[in-house]
Each structure stands twice: as C-alpha cells, then as structure tokens.
Amino acid sequence: MKYYIIAGEASGDLHGSNLMKALYNEDPQADIRFWGGDLMQQTGGTLVKHYRELAFMGFIEVVFNLKTILSNINICKKDIEQFQPDAIIFIDYPGFNMRIAKWAKERGIPTHYYISPQIWAWKENRIAAVKRDFDHLYVILPFEKEFYEDKHHFPVTFVGHPLIDAIHNRKVTSQADFIKENKLDDKPIIAILPGSRKQEITKMLSVMLSVVDDFKDYQFVIAGAPSQEHSFYEPFLKNKNVHFIANKTYDLLSHSTAALVTSGTATLETALFKVPEVVCYKGSWASYQIAKRIITLKYISLVNLIMDKEVVTELIQDRCNTKNIRTELQKLLNPDYRKQLIEQYDTLEQKLGGVGASKKTAQHIVRSLR
C-alpha cells in the first residue's frame, strides 16, 4: 500500500522514522512518500521536503513567513494528488497538517493523526475540525485519551509514548568511547539542549552559557540540531569549557550529569534518560505576550504536565536569567535533590506506558486499510 507521511519538525522526524520501520514490518511492500528529515530518509521511502524548510515558531514569526507556508501547502496538495496514497499519516505539526487533512478528507483519502495536536493546551475549539477531518487519532500522553473521549466524546487510541521506543532501541556508546570520539575533557558533563530552530537557539544559547564560568569543574556540551550547520554555532564556542556535538543528543544525555533544556520534547527525553534538568524558555516579547493570554496550562514542560505538578523547575521569559539558571543548576548537582528528582522520573516513565508505540500505531493503520 501507499502511505504519505507529513512530519514538520525534528521530533516528528524521529517518530516518523520509527513509525516507517514499523510500517515496513507490517507491510513489506509499503511505498512511502514523506515530508520529514534525515532519520526518515535513512529509513527508506522518498523525501519530498525537509522539515528545515518548514519550521517556524511563534505567532509573529508565522505571520512573517506566511507566503512560504502557503506555498508549501500548495506543493503538498499537488504532490499528494500525483502520488494517490491509500492513507495520509500526519505527525504533530498541527498548523500545517490540519489544513492538509481538511483538504484530504474532502477527497476521501483516509486520514490518520499520530501524535495528536495539543488542543488541550490551546485552541480547544479545534476539536470540531479534528472530529471532522481525521478518521483515526493516536495519542501518546495518558491524559489525552481522557480529554478526547470523556470531554469531547471522540474515540482515540492510546499507544504510549514513542520516545520510549526511540530510547530503548538506541545503540549505546560507552562513556570512555564517547569522550574519546568527541574529544571531550575528563570532567562531568552538563548538557545544553537549546532547541532545533535558529531563532530559539539564538535566544537561548547565550543565556544558558552565561553560567559556564561558575562551574569550572564541569564541561558544558551543546547538542547541535541536525537541521543546523556547525558554522551557526561557532560564535557560541569561544569559551574553552564549551564543546559542541551534532546529531548525538541521546549519546550526550546518556553520559550527562545535568542538563539545561529548552522547553519542548527534549524536556521529556532528558527525564527519560534520568538526567536532572532545568527547563528554560524565552520567546520574542510579542509572541510571549500573545501566548500567555491564550494558553491556560500550569506548566510548559511535558514532564510537569504529565505528572500534574512541578517536578522540574521551569525558568520562563524574565525568570530565565543568569542568576536563576546558576541557582537551579547548583541544586541539580546536590545528591539528595538528584535522588528525589530521579525517583519522580521513574514514576513518569511508568505513566507513559512502556515500549511499542510505533508498532501499535502501524498495526492499527495497516489493519484499518485491509
């Protein structure tokens, strides 16, 4: 059968690649065409457009890039018409994917949404479009099933979180080999995960690295995003205690003592690696002012949202400054604090439902088409 997959971000590329592997296992003759990234391309199929050409964050930034976004939507529709898929699989990225889904449903193409839009955070009125435009919805957070089924009477399938699959299936590198391969110092590592988009990296890295000289017994290692060139990071690497590693975030987290993490999927990844973290976020002033008026959530990190309490400290906007980052990072290095935090991480992992999200989703999709 023919599958068309649309993933618009780095996390979608990761989950899309694992879903593609599962689809090939369930349907060895699968013909897959996709929007995604390097990981999906390595898995097989045909890449139409890389997510680095799609990722715009923030309300103001989307307005400035509206022409490009609309052009990409038209390109996508034409490509789908030519490919004539048996199903379209949407992975997160709701602003783009929900427009394509409406168009596809009107043409009778089966629509599957893997990693549902976070309408529980904002734009809850999108539920009408979700019910109208999607034949199947696969949710990955335990509270999402209750949100859709109990509150909005829309049946969904909880498949567990695909990050557990990604972490479980990774190749493990020894600490000695990791340090040697990446020319690191023989000091404990503090990981810096500043995001994947240029605008968020630019905004976050300077403030994250402002505490480097206060922790001379540790080395700071920046996790480079696969969508960015090394040259983009060079201005941030002037301090000799700051290192850079591209496309090895899981290896980095495996060997880190603590981490400073920009809000997003990385907050959950860091927790699942049992690395004590501080969550940091700064947006443009205009985007932040809009967001805080329409988003009603108590927390911005997935760790705290799933646990429904503040497990990891969140430093948002003005609170994300050198003094506060220094204070919170010092806490993470305290053995008693670390022990309590890791116990909370263990509970978090139990809530997420174990391995098999990609396999379960692929089985549901293939079964529905057969």
Side-chain angles (χ1 to χ4, degrees), residues 145-177:
K145 187 173 177 66
E146 179 181 320
F147 171 83
Y148 283 107
E149 294 192 340
D150 295 350
K151 186 172 183 180
H152 292 291
H153 312 293
F154 183 61
V156 301
T157 304
F158 174 63
V159 293
H161 207 293
L163 279 180
I164 296 177
D165 285 353
I167 292 168
H168 185 266
N169 295 332
R170 78 192 192 281
K171 294 180 181 177
V172 180
T173 304
S174 72
Q175 183 151 357
D177 287 344

Side-chain angles (χ1 to χ4, degrees), residues 42-96:
Q42 290 164 16
T43 303
T46 303
L47 174 67
V48 180
K49 203 173 259 288
H50 200 287
Y51 68 78
R52 72 168 67 96
E53 301 177 56
L54 311 174
F56 304 107
M57 65 174 290
F59 302 96
I60 304 302
E61 293 79 5
V62 167
V63 171
F64 285 145
N65 291 281
L66 192 57
K67 185 176 179 181
T68 301
I69 294 168
L70 293 174
S71 173
N72 285 333
I73 288 172
N74 288 329
I75 291 169
C76 187
K77 289 176 180 177
K78 289 177 182 176
D79 196 60
I80 291 170
E81 284 181 329
Q82 290 177 355
F83 186 57
Q84 292 290 301
D86 295 295
I88 304 177
I89 303 166
F90 304 91
I91 301 179
D92 201 0
Y93 199 51
F96 187 93

Side-chain angles (χ1 to χ4, degrees), residues 9-11 51 55 194-198 200-201 225-228 233:
E9 299 170 302
S11 59
Y51 68 78
S196 60
R197 304 176 182 95
K198 278 188 177 179
E200 69 180 342
I201 296 169
S227 55
Q228 307 301 339
Y233 293 92

